[in-house]
Amino acid sequence: MDSSDHNPHNYALRLTQQDAILQPNIYKEAFKPFIANGGAPMDAVSALSESYVGYPSMIKTTANIATTMGIDVEAILRKTVKKQIMNKFNPKAIDEALMNTPTPTSLDWLDGLVHDTEWRHMIYELLDKYPRCEFLNFAIMRMAEGGYQHEVAQLRTGSSYVEVYNYILNDAFTKLMAKDDIEFEENLPAFLRVCSDQEHSYLYAQVLIHRLYQEFNDLSFLRLAKELEKTAIARGQHELVYIIKSCAVGMPQDLANALKAIRSSGQPTPGDIMTVYNIYTATEAPSVYFIRDYELIELMLKALYVPDAVPNMKPDLVDKLICLLAFATAYNESKPREDQEETLRRVCKTLRRLYQALQAQSGAYFSGAMTEILESMSIPAASLGILLWIEYISTRTPYYETYYRSSEIPLPHLLLDEIASVHPLQQPMVLEVIKRCFLHPYQNFAPEILAALQKRWIERLVNLVELHYTLPVLKFIKSVVREIDYSLTVHFVTKVLELAEPPYSTEFVEHIVDTLVPIADTIVIVKGFEPILHEFIAKVHEPNAVDQPLSEELQAKLAVLAAKQKPHRKSLY
């Protein structure tokens, strides 16, 4: 140790700090060493005496007075301390001070925080902000060991302790698997965050998901794995995704390289498609799971059915794309390949004929292509290709400027309705296409003609509601209500309320009300809407009309809408 460290002056500085006499271990760490290194005892006593201010005593006296006045002093103190910790918490400094010791389990004072509800929740909040902090992860483990496993399991962040991470991951799995399709989509982001916060948690989750798939042969596990891959790639972890696919899941390295290149370029290149094609036409082809990826399938469909997506695409590339699409979407790994050759040939033939037909179509009614469009629509991959093609002609060609007539429902709209009806699992994709087309800034339209076209798009949304794909549509309208003309909102709500009958779900009522409240002052002037609105409000207040009691906030919003009435002109007489 440097001799300057034993200079009495250094210890004297500690003795002269404000309220030094009240500091823990001041005698052992400053007073005694000061004297041992030549300092005078009276100087030490004088320093401690002169540095005493007595802030703790003052605070205690003030707190006692405030308590007699009915003030919850402890709550104020906790709130203040918590605020300071949340603002000034330094994970790196905390880890260096507390965790880089030979025996971190000696943090006995931590038990006081572990068994206090408020401090536990503060640690949960801190872990959400600093998931890599070793001290916070250690504290969470102590909480799990202390009997708070249920609370720990509710966390939606990673942990460096396997035992803790197992609690969290198991709870996230259990809750997600119990959801229906719509609730699944809503809860998926929280699950993905648990699995992808850190590289080791991503690896752990992916291996576990694939083990579950192998044991139960449930395709929902593959969907989870794909969603997790998408999340990791969106975070820039391309290398990690493909390394794990190669090492932990058994994807051939040349296939991993080709798929990675296709994703990176955003379109299928001839060399990469040739590589993938050769791998899957070999005698021992790898699992179809590796190419049964929605983003990859969408890229291949765009190359085929969206004009100019891949300029100057050669016929041999078209054939290979069609074969790969057929294999990725129609092959069943649980059956022998030779028993599926006829099915694969039929799908290939359908996709090829659709490709040729869309290349040759013309006019408002797609002359030369409608027969193939309708016949191929029963094949899921073909219907997805038709969806992409409809979006292309609706947003990147003058189809509506040339052919739209307000007295007719446009043929692309009828096709969207049909796809949503024939393929319920494609309703989310249909909604996305409708959203992009509805919000597209169409040019060269008279205002009244544009309004009529927009209403036709609204009716496509209503059709999805009629097919029971309701909440995602309601959420979309609620999100754009301030951007679109109020008459479109009223048209949508009117059509939906004509379809809906009690008992309503609470979510349905909330979305309808939240959609109308921002335009409450305007909607009452729409002819014929006021009685529809008031009839709905009356139904909502009937016994058992809603599946759960209405919250006070929702009741207040309903009261606002109920109070809105069409202004009446005063009589001139």
Side-chain angles (χ1 to χ4, degrees):
M1 182 179 287
D2 194 330
S3 60
S4 62
D5 292 339
H6 296 292
N7 190 318
H9 178 69
N10 294 333
Y11 297 109
L13 290 176
R14 290 196 60 182
L15 295 172
T16 57
Q17 289 179 354
Q18 198 172 73
D19 279 330
I21 196 172
L22 301 176
Q23 296 299 317
N25 300 321
I26 190 68
Y27 175 78
K28 180 180 178 181
E29 296 176 1
F31 187 90
K32 191 175 180 180
F34 174 78
I35 296 173
N37 286 280
M42 284 305 299
D43 291 341
V45 172
S46 298
L48 289 174
S49 175
E50 292 171 2
S51 65
Y52 176 73
V53 178
Y55 280 128
S57 300
M58 297 180 197
I59 293 171
K60 184 176 181 180
T61 301
T62 305
N64 290 337
I65 295 172
T67 300
T68 63
M69 299 168 63
I71 298 173
D72 190 344
V73 175
E74 183 176 351
I76 295 173
L77 181 61
R78 282 173 173 261
K79 183 178 179 180
T80 303
V81 172
K82 180 181 176 182
K83 182 179 179 181
Q84 290 298 315
I85 292 175
M86 294 297 294
N87 290 340
K88 297 184 177 182
F89 188 83
N90 185 330
K92 184 177 180 181
I94 290 290
D95 285 348
E96 289 178 355
L98 298 179
M99 303 308 294
N100 294 341
T101 59
T103 56
T105 53
S106 64
L107 302 174
D108 296 332
W109 54 268
L110 188 57
D111 291 337
L113 301 182
V114 165
H115 296 292
D116 186 291
T117 302
E118 192 167 352
W119 297 129
R120 285 201 309 277
H121 284 281
M122 181 193 72
I123 292 174
Y124 298 151
E125 290 181 42
L126 286 170
L127 183 69
D128 193 55
K129 292 175 66 176
Y130 310 106
R132 296 176 184 269
C133 177
E134 187 69 15
F135 166 73
L136 293 175
N137 277 279
F138 177 75
I140 295 295
M141 188 185 72
R142 289 280 282 269
M143 291 175 191
E145 293 172 345
Y148 302 101
Q149 298 95 329
H150 179 70
E151 282 186 10
V152 169
Q154 308 298 312
L155 298 177
R156 288 298 175 261
T157 185
S159 173
S160 55
Y161 289 85
V162 173
E163 182 181 357
V164 173
Y165 188 62
N166 278 337
Y167 286 130
I168 298 170
L169 191 58
N170 179 65
D171 184 78
F173 258 124
T174 304
K175 290 185 175 178
L176 195 64
M177 290 304 176
K179 305 296 184 184
D180 60 26
D181 286 346
I182 293 175
E183 291 175 326
F184 180 91
E185 294 293 340
E186 293 174 347
N187 289 270
L188 185 59
F191 175 84
L192 295 176
R193 182 185 176 192
V194 168
C195 298
S196 60
D197 258 352
Q198 302 176 46
E199 290 81 358
H200 68 269
S201 61
Y202 175 80
L203 171 61
Y204 188 92
Q206 281 288 31
V207 172
L208 177 61
I209 288 171
H210 281 279
R211 290 284 182 87
L212 291 170
Y213 170 67
Q214 291 169 358
E215 182 171 345
F216 297 103
N217 197 29
D218 188 336
L219 293 177
S220 59
F221 290 116
L222 293 185
R223 181 185 177 187
L224 280 180
K226 291 293 185 185
E227 293 291 345
L228 189 50
E229 287 174 8
K230 286 166 57 178
T231 302
I233 289 172
R235 294 186 174 193
Q237 297 175 329
H238 296 73
E239 291 292 337
L240 177 65
V241 169
Y242 287 100
I243 287 172
I244 290 175
K245 275 192 168 186
S246 298
C247 299
V249 191
M251 176 188 280
Q253 187 60 51
D254 50 351
L255 177 60
N257 292 338
L259 295 181
K260 179 184 174 184
I262 292 172
R263 275 186 176 274
S264 300
S265 64
Q267 65 179 27
T269 57
D272 295 320
I273 290 298
M274 179 64 76
T275 299
V276 179
Y277 177 81
N278 289 337
I279 290 172
Y280 279 96
T281 51
T283 306
E284 296 294 331
S287 171
V288 69
Y289 158 76
F290 298 128
I291 58 170
R292 188 165 284 162
D293 177 273
Y294 178 73
E295 290 190 0
L296 175 64
I297 291 171
E298 186 180 41
L299 284 174
M300 292 192 288
L301 287 170
K302 283 182 177 178
L304 283 173
Y305 300 117
V306 175
D308 302 324
V310 179
N312 304 316
M313 190 163 58
K314 296 181 179 179
D316 61 332
L317 180 60
V318 171
D319 290 339
K320 289 177 173 57
L321 281 172
I322 288 173
C323 289
L324 286 173
L325 276 169
F327 194 78
T329 58
Y331 182 70
N332 187 340
E333 286 189 321
S334 65
K335 299 179 181 179
R337 182 161 182 167
E338 55 270 19
D339 295 348
Q340 302 181 69
E341 292 298 338
E342 180 57 34
T343 299
L344 293 173
R345 278 196 293 270
R346 180 173 57 84
V347 174
C348 284
K349 182 179 178 181
T350 301
L351 293 174
R352 187 174 290 107
R353 290 172 61 181
L354 177 63
Y355 170 76
Q356 293 166 348
L358 294 183
Q359 294 285 314
Q361 67 81 30
S362 63
Y365 302 105
F366 310 137
S367 299
M370 271 310 298
T371 300
E372 293 300 334
I373 289 174
L374 294 175
E375 289 181 355
S376 65
M377 195 177 287
S378 61
I379 304 294
S383 68
L384 282 174
I386 294 168
L387 271 179
L388 296 171
W389 176 74
I390 288 173
E391 181 178 353
Y392 171 80
I393 65 168
S394 296
T395 60
R396 294 170 59 188
T397 74
Y399 175 84
Y400 292 106
E401 288 90 331
T402 306
Y403 300 114
Y404 178 65
R405 301 293 180 268
S406 59
S407 58
E408 301 176 357
I409 300 177
L411 190 52
H413 292 212
L414 295 175
L415 293 175
L416 287 171
D417 290 350
E418 185 67 13
I419 291 172
S421 176
V422 173
H423 299 290
L425 292 178
Q426 292 186 15
Q427 288 171 3
M429 295 79 159
V430 173
L431 174 59
E432 290 303 313
V433 170
I434 295 172
K435 285 160 64 172
R436 289 190 286 268
C437 293
F438 175 63
L439 298 174
H440 179 70
Y442 294 98
Q443 305 294 328
N444 306 318
F445 272 110
E448 64 276 9
I449 302 299
L450 179 59
L453 176 60
Q454 295 288 62
K455 281 191 176 182
R456 293 299 187 190
W457 286 119
I458 287 289
E459 287 160 10
R460 308 290 66 76
L461 296 173
V462 174
N463 179 68
L464 287 175
V465 173
E466 193 169 4
L467 294 171
H468 307 295
Y469 192 66
T470 304
L471 291 182
V473 175
L474 294 179
K475 288 179 181 179
F476 168 64
I477 289 294
K478 185 174 73 172
S479 70
V480 299
V481 67
R482 297 183 185 275
E483 303 171 27
I484 63 177
D485 190 273
Y486 70 89
S487 63
L488 296 174
T489 304
V490 171
H491 184 62
F492 171 79
V493 173
T494 300
K495 294 288 185 181
V496 169
L497 293 183
E498 288 174 356
L499 295 172
E501 288 293 337
Y504 305 115
S505 70
T506 307
E507 292 87 355
F508 176 82
V509 176
E510 287 175 345
H511 284 299
I512 291 292
V513 171
D514 288 342
T515 298
L516 293 176
V517 165
I519 56 173
D521 292 329
T522 310
I523 57 176
V524 292
I525 66 174
V526 178
K527 184 179 180 181
F529 185 67
E530 186 176 349
I532 295 172
L533 174 61
H534 286 283
E535 181 184 0
F536 170 68
I537 294 173
K539 285 182 178 179
V540 167
H541 285 102
E542 291 175 0
N544 302 318
V546 185
D547 62 355
Q548 295 178 15
L550 302 179
S551 66
E552 292 184 4
E553 181 182 2
L554 184 55
Q555 290 184 26
K557 291 178 180 178
L558 282 166
V560 169
L561 292 176
K564 299 296 180 181
Q565 293 185 350
K566 187 175 181 178
H568 298 284
R569 293 183 179 180
K570 292 183 178 180
S571 173
L572 296 175
Y573 302 98

